[in-house]
Amino acid sequence: MSKLKEVNRLYIDRITQSLIEDKEKWTREVMCGMGGCFVDYYSPKYTNTNGGTVMFSDKGFAAAHIDGMLAWDIGFWDYNNPFSERSLKLRKAMREMVKYHIIKDEEERLSKLKKSIE
């Protein structure tokens, strides 16, 4: 296995682990501009073995930020490969995390609406 493939595999596995184990700790940011609105998702910061931090994001595709700087992003085929169990697991974990936050935000919104009328 080439070093690049090994690095990609390690990052994909770690992002997937974060999405599954810490999905409630990911944050959702909605930003709007003249071109419309878009949503970004960010993982919590994790301490790496070098003493720095690594954080993951989903801005269309998965990426990793080391000490606040974009360091790695997933390749199109690594994310969309229909024959890869690893890609399938990542996409499923990403969908589940997004679904979790949409439901959570909607429940919070409805709770505030209910409290405002009582």
Side-chain angles (χ1 to χ4, degrees), residues 11 46-54 65-68 71:
Y11 273 95
Y46 302 98
T47 303
N48 61 23
T49 56
N50 296 337
T53 60
V54 63
H65 309 263
I66 298 175
D67 296 330

Side-chain angles (χ1 to χ4, degrees), residues 51-99:
T53 60
V54 63
M55 181 177 81
F56 306 109
S57 66
D58 173 27
K59 297 180 176 187
F61 289 112
H65 309 263
I66 298 175
D67 296 330
M69 302 287 291
L70 180 63
W72 176 89
D73 61 350
I74 192 166
F76 177 83
W77 186 247
D78 286 327
Y79 187 82
N80 290 295
N81 185 349
F83 307 109
S84 167
E85 193 69 32
R86 183 171 275 113
S87 296
L88 177 65
K89 188 175 179 180
L90 172 63
R91 289 191 314 270
K92 180 180 179 188
M94 197 75 76
R95 281 191 310 270
E96 290 296 319
M97 182 271 300
V98 168
K99 182 178 166 182

Side-chain angles (χ1 to χ4, degrees), residues 1-12:
M1 178 183 310
S2 75
K3 287 185 180 184
L4 178 60
K5 284 185 179 183
E6 181 182 357
V7 167
N8 286 341
R9 182 185 58 79
L10 290 169
Y11 273 95
I12 291 168

